[in-house]
Amino acid sequence: MFSNYIKLAWRNLWRNKVFSFINIFGLALGLASTIIILLSVADELSIDQFHAKKDRLFKLYNRAMWTGKIECWATTTSLDAPEMMQKVPEIKDAIRMTWGRPRLVSYKEKALQIEGQESDPAFLTMFSFPMLKGDPNTALNDVNDIVITESFAKKIFGTEDPMGKVVKIENKDNFIVTGVMKDLPENTSFYFEYLLPWKYVVANHQECPYWGCNSFQTYVELKPGADVAIVNGKIKNMVKSNSDDPASPELFLHPITKWHLYSKFENGVVAGGRIEYVRLVTIIALFILLIACINFMNLSTARSEKRAREVGIRKVVGAGRYDLVLQFLSESILITAIAFVFALLLANLLLPLFNDLVGKKMVIDYSQPGYWLAAILITLVTGLIAGSYPAFYLSSFQPVKVLKRQLGATRGTVTPRKVLVVFQFAISISLIICTIIIEQQLRHAQERPSGYSREDLVFSKMTHDIYANYDNIKNELLASGAALNVCKTSSPITSNGSNSWGLTWGGKQNTNNIVFDMIWAGDGFADPLKIPLLAGRDLNIAQFPSDTSACLINETSMKIMEFKDPIGQIIEKDSVFYHVVGVFKDFIWGSPYAVTEPMVIMGDPNESFINVRLNKNHPMTDNLKSMERIFKKYNPAYPFVYKFADEAYAQKFKAEQVTGKLATVSSLLVIIISCLGLFGLAAFTAEQRTKEIGVRRVLGASVLGLTVLLSKDFLKLVGIAALVAFPISWWAMHSWLQTYNYRISINLWVFLLSGIVAVIIALITVSFQTISAAMANPVKSLRSE
């Protein structure tokens, strides 16, 4: 019986090649998009979920009231982990980790900069990163141990066995390889190629052992059966009980299962994060697939009169409605199966482009049984959804009416077919509106003045001998003509690196709930980076030795501190007194969508980044060659690594650019699929009304008049779709824009333009069929009359 259904379905497909192509191609596009997007969703959901102890693994967070709202952050002190281990029996292990940074690693004649971190030894037993060689229980016990990844081993040792080999880090400290771990998988939030023991941090006096120094990460493993709520209650006031600072934060644990998807906090509670992206792309995938299914429904029901006699005859010879439903569902599933084959081909072609768009390295793993199970499930569900309405609609025909040609066409004001077309184009218009608004918001932020000049500005991390030779490097850069200005800072001008609280000024003591962005600089800040000064002068320790205790403040700080005459005012931090020598105009250090925070630039001659303003009158390549020559002269063991400030600044817009591109691609896909369906409906309508068109042509109707006659019904549906889409898209975009402090207003012209674009697209789609029908020779259509 089932094989008979398949044969009938195949014959029907072959007889109606145009409609079959439209159905198959539309479904293939929808399925290919769904496959790719669901791969992305599965990848996002899998991050950090492979750890065997994931139900007992947590990251330590701080929570405190700052400037009227509760803030949460994941940087902690080096004292939290040992204190918790001592006072909370429910905790099995608590470890500290430094932030990853590239360091020079050398072995014999080979030297490379490789990313690494320091950690307590229990990291290797807490997390499920398999060890290929070495004992995870002891591999990080000694101060000169190092655990490396497979990739590290190949880069440095080639085919040699790395175990027991000695590598030198930063040209000063030797480490013995005590373990080799498998390369970290793509679906982890950790990124390093080697681990050093925490004892190395202590040996270098970098553990910053006081309760206000939030410079590290802390991870916690609970004992089996431990209640995280009880543990949170015990650690909540641990910092407060060890500190005299009344603004000391509370502590709480955030589970590993939520690190990636729920990393955004608002007013002290989880408020989303990457899960918002997952929801967005999932909704997009469902809409694209649903619109492809709607095409199938519309075209199948539109051709109902051609199938009506088949249904009538089958019922007369004894077929029940159940048999007919099965037949039409079988036909739908066959079409979906064929479409799925083409969808796989499309998905393989488009996946590299999608990976470039979202910055992933996803592949379709055909060897996984779960993949094929999901593929079969998607095919069946899609086939059933697409074929359900046509199956029940066609099987409901009464044989007497059908065979007497009394079925008639459905000409009601509201029909399911019209509703589905309106739904399709409402989604299309909504996506067009969203795409335009997202692009406007992105452009709005990109055009926001940064507050400093990014032109010809490069920065480089200071490493090893650069610290001792900074003055020589600066002087030679200026003398060579490659640089117009050089300064050093604690952080790049393009990314916020540090903040602090507890500053006091002018007798004001109750300031612990105000957080200030902090940068340290020694030989100029405002002048080299072209940040306008509103009052006073720039920092310059060489000219003014007392500038080691001087500072600059931005205009936001001046307002918060209520300084009418800021120059000479005293600011205290950690019992050190700084005198204000200048006020600079606010600039963007963090998010270009956020308000500017108060900032203090403190004088300090020993910092981490060199900022170089290149001479634009010289070729850029020559400038960079001069920089490299000078850097290699004074720091020969290290590679010359630099970054342009404008490129680093552009990275701030990456998330919104991805969202905008996704919206654009989704809009195009939805419009293409919708237009395929509209094209098919227009073709069928023209076919149905062939004789009417012939009569009208004989009676003198023009081609333009007939084209308008055949097109107006479709255009009315698009107009209704626009009216439906306008309030929905306004609400969605208004809600999205509320997440940004610096945002655009939604303009009426966006909706009008989107509606006009949709009407034009629909008109172009149906015009080919309507004009062809209107220009056909009426003799051919009326010959049988």
Side-chain angles (χ1 to χ4, degrees):
M1 179 67 74
F2 183 75
S3 61
N4 185 50
Y5 291 153
I6 297 298
K7 287 180 183 178
L8 290 170
W10 180 256
R11 289 172 185 169
N12 188 58
L13 286 176
W14 193 251
R15 279 198 303 268
N16 302 279
K17 296 181 182 66
V18 173
F19 290 100
S20 298
F21 171 79
I22 291 173
N23 271 332
I24 290 170
F25 185 65
L27 281 174
L29 269 181
L31 285 168
S33 305
T34 303
I35 289 168
I36 291 172
I37 291 174
L38 291 183
L39 276 175
S40 177
V41 169
D43 179 73
E44 293 286 336
L45 295 176
S46 72
I47 291 178
D48 290 322
Q49 303 304 304
F50 58 87
H51 298 288
K53 302 175 182 178
K54 67 178 182 181
D55 295 333
R56 297 188 280 126
L57 295 178
F58 300 83
K59 193 171 189 176
L60 188 66
Y61 269 70
N62 287 288
R63 179 165 48 210
M65 178 73 75
W66 300 124
T67 322
K69 58 184 179 180
I70 302 174
E71 299 286 354
C72 298
W73 65 97
T75 51
T76 54
T77 76
S78 64
L79 303 175
D80 294 321
E83 185 80 358
M84 288 190 295
M85 288 287 289
Q86 182 181 350
K87 294 186 176 179
V88 185
E90 290 88 352
I91 293 176
K92 180 181 178 183
D93 273 313
I95 65 165
R96 297 153 294 187
M97 287 193 79
T98 58
W99 298 93
R101 60 191 176 98
R103 282 176 277 205
L104 188 74
V105 181
S106 54
Y107 173 71
K108 295 181 178 177
E109 302 301 319
K110 188 175 289 186
L112 296 170
Q113 276 198 304
I114 301 177
E115 186 97 4
Q117 291 177 261
E118 289 91 350
S119 170
D120 280 307
F123 178 90
L124 298 174
T125 55
M126 185 181 289
F127 297 100
S128 299
F129 295 118
M131 293 281 287
L132 302 177
K133 294 182 178 182
D135 184 354
N137 294 293
T138 60
L140 287 176
N141 281 357
D142 294 330
V143 68
N144 294 113
D145 289 341
I146 183 172
V147 173
I148 65 176
T149 63
E150 284 182 281
S151 296
F152 180 110
K154 290 175 184 176
K155 288 176 186 177
I156 295 293
F157 302 109
T159 57
E160 293 183 50
D161 183 0
M163 292 297 289
K165 296 287 193 306
V166 176
V167 295
K168 187 182 289 289
I169 291 195
E170 299 286 49
N171 270 347
K172 70 172 181 175
D173 295 317
N174 292 321
F175 291 86
I176 300 171
V177 178
T178 54
V180 179
M181 65 166 59
K182 194 173 180 180
D183 284 343
L184 273 59
E186 291 288 335
N187 60 338
T188 180
S189 54
F190 290 98
Y191 179 74
F192 57 82
E193 290 192 66
Y194 63 88
L195 288 175
L196 301 179
W198 184 261
K199 288 180 180 178
Y200 181 66
V201 177
V202 177
N204 285 276
H205 309 290
Q206 296 175 343
E207 73 273 30
C208 194
Y210 69 94
W211 288 100
C213 182
N214 290 289
S215 301
F216 307 101
Q217 304 169 85
T218 302
Y219 299 96
V220 175
E221 177 188 346
L222 299 185
K223 292 178 180 177
D227 188 335
V228 66
I230 294 175
V231 175
N232 276 333
K234 291 183 177 182
I235 67 173
K236 179 179 179 180
N237 295 314
M238 195 173 72
V239 177
K240 291 180 182 292
S241 63
N242 286 281
S243 172
D244 297 329
D245 187 352
S248 294
E250 299 175 351
L251 297 177
F252 69 96
L253 300 178
H254 191 48
I256 189 174
T257 51
K258 294 185 177 181
W259 290 354
H260 179 69
L261 295 177
Y262 299 91
S263 58
K264 186 172 75 175
F265 292 81
E266 288 182 6
N267 210 27
V269 296
V270 173
R274 195 65 177 172
I275 189 65
E276 294 164 5
Y277 167 82
V278 171
R279 289 169 181 160
L280 172 66
V281 296
T282 302
I283 290 170
I284 288 173
L286 292 176
F287 274 134
I288 292 173
L289 189 57
L290 183 59
I291 286 172
C293 291
I294 287 172
N295 271 0
F296 184 94
M297 295 178 189
N298 273 343
L299 291 175
S300 297
T301 54
R303 298 179 58 251
S304 59
E305 289 185 27
K306 284 199 168 187
R307 305 292 300 271
R309 284 196 173 189
E310 175 191 343
V311 172
I313 292 171
R314 288 185 177 279
K315 282 194 172 183
V316 167
V317 297
R321 187 174 184 184
Y322 174 78
D323 299 311
L324 292 168
V325 168
L326 281 182
Q327 178 192 334
F328 291 121
L329 286 179
S330 300
E331 190 173 308
S332 170
I333 291 171
L334 175 63
I335 291 173
T336 308
I338 296 170
F340 186 78
V341 174
F342 287 104
L344 284 180
L345 297 174
L346 282 172
N348 277 288
L349 290 173
L350 298 175
L351 188 56
L353 299 176
F354 186 82
N355 281 335
D356 288 341
L357 175 65
V358 299
K360 291 181 177 291
K361 298 179 181 178
M362 298 181 297
V363 294
I364 301 175
D365 189 356
Y366 295 104
S367 65
Q368 290 292 332
Y371 168 80
W372 290 108
L373 181 64
I376 293 169
L377 185 63
I378 290 172
T379 303
L380 287 174
V381 170
T382 303
L384 290 173
I385 291 173
S388 58
Y389 176 64
F392 286 102
Y393 174 72
L394 291 169
S395 64
S396 67
F397 292 164
Q398 296 179 20
V400 174
K401 289 184 177 181
V402 169
L403 298 177
K404 286 185 177 182
R405 297 194 177 185
Q406 295 176 351
L407 182 65
T410 305
R411 297 192 183 275
T413 305
V414 179
T415 65
R417 195 183 311 152
K418 290 179 180 179
V419 170
L420 293 175
V421 171
V422 168
F423 178 82
Q424 277 186 312
F425 274 88
I427 297 300
S428 301
I429 295 167
S430 295
L431 283 172
I432 293 171
I433 293 169
C434 292
T435 300
I436 293 173
I437 292 175
I438 291 170
E439 289 297 326
Q440 281 186 308
Q441 171 66 3
L442 179 60
R443 196 179 308 113
H444 181 64
Q446 287 175 328
E447 292 174 355
R448 180 183 179 184
S450 63
Y452 60 92
S453 173
R454 304 189 300 274
E455 185 182 9
D456 301 312
L457 180 63
V458 298
F459 58 87
S460 178
K461 184 80 170 65
M462 296 175 68
T463 54
H464 205 251
D465 293 333
I466 290 180
Y467 288 96
N469 293 295
Y470 170 75
D471 289 336
N472 292 329
I473 292 172
K474 177 178 179 177
N475 292 333
E476 289 199 25
L477 283 170
L478 295 172
S480 71
L484 297 177
N485 218 322
V486 181
C487 70
K488 56 182 177 179
T489 54
S490 58
S491 302
I493 190 66
T494 56
S495 58
N496 49 342
S498 180
N499 56 35
S500 188
W501 66 88
L503 280 69
T504 60
W505 59 87
K508 294 188 180 291
Q509 301 297 322
N510 189 21
T511 60
N512 286 312
N513 65 342
I514 301 176
V515 176
F516 289 83
D517 287 336
M518 309 289 291
I519 299 180
W520 284 261
D523 58 335
F525 178 78
D527 292 340
L529 301 174
K530 295 189 178 179
I531 301 171
L533 281 171
L534 303 178
R537 61 172 176 82
D538 201 1
L539 292 169
N540 191 331
I541 292 175
Q543 185 176 356
F544 304 100
S546 63
D547 276 5
T548 53
S549 61
C551 69
L552 305 175
I553 61 174
N554 67 348
E555 53 188 318
T556 299
S557 293
M558 185 174 69
K559 292 173 185 176
I560 288 175
M561 295 174 176
E562 299 178 346
F563 289 155
K564 292 181 179 179
D565 183 12
I567 306 305
Q569 296 284 348
I570 302 299
I571 297 173
E572 180 187 355
K573 174 175 167 50
D574 300 330
S575 300
V576 178
F577 295 89
Y578 296 85
H579 59 282
V580 178
V581 297
V583 179
F584 59 91
K585 192 173 179 62
D586 288 343
F587 68 88
I588 298 172
W589 198 35
S591 169
Y593 302 98
V595 296
T596 304
E597 300 293 339
M599 176 179 280
V600 178
I601 313 299
M602 299 200 169
D604 194 321
N606 298 304
E607 295 312 334
S608 303
F609 286 86
I610 292 182
N611 306 280
V612 180
R613 178 78 61 187
L614 298 175
N615 189 343
K616 63 181 179 182
N617 294 322
H618 293 177
M620 182 63 68
T621 53
D622 291 349
N623 288 336
L624 293 174
K625 285 179 181 177
S626 296
M627 276 189 71
E628 183 175 15
R629 175 180 54 79
I630 294 167
F631 272 65
K632 293 293 280 184
K633 175 182 176 181
Y634 290 102
N635 196 33
Y638 285 74
F640 171 58
V641 180
Y642 65 92
K643 195 161 190 177
F644 283 96
D646 53 0
E647 292 177 355
Y649 188 82
Q651 290 295 309
K652 296 174 182 288
F653 305 97
K654 187 175 181 180
E656 284 70 25
Q657 286 172 335
V658 170
T659 302
K661 289 176 181 177
L662 278 174
T664 302
V665 172
S666 303
S667 299
L668 289 173
L669 284 171
V670 168
I671 289 169
I672 290 170
I673 295 170
S674 298
C675 288
L676 279 172
L678 199 61
F679 179 85
L681 287 175
F684 183 76
T685 300
E687 183 183 333
Q688 273 189 319
R689 302 177 71 174
T690 300
K691 288 185 172 59
E692 177 192 345
I693 293 168
V695 172
R696 288 180 181 273
R697 284 293 306 277
V698 169
L699 295 176
S702 66
V703 172
L704 178 61
L706 288 171
T707 301
V708 171
L709 175 70
L710 295 172
S711 302
K712 66 180 182 179
D713 288 340
F714 294 110
L715 297 182
K716 284 179 184 176
L717 296 180
V718 176
I720 295 170
L723 295 177
V724 172
F726 290 166
I728 294 172
S729 53
W730 179 89
W731 171 82
M733 287 292 94
H734 177 75
S735 300
W736 179 72
L737 287 171
Q738 297 311 302
T739 61
Y740 299 102
N741 296 110
Y742 187 78
R743 57 180 180 265
I744 62 167
S745 299
I746 300 177
N747 296 312
L748 178 62
W749 69 262
V750 173
F751 300 92
L752 296 177
L753 176 63
S754 301
I756 292 169
V757 168
V759 169
I760 292 172
I761 290 171
L763 187 60
I764 292 171
T765 302
V766 300
S767 290
F768 177 80
Q769 287 296 333
T770 54
I771 292 172
S772 297
M775 294 181 67
N777 188 346
V779 174
K780 292 182 180 180
S781 61
L782 299 175
R783 183 178 296 166
S784 60
E785 297 298 322

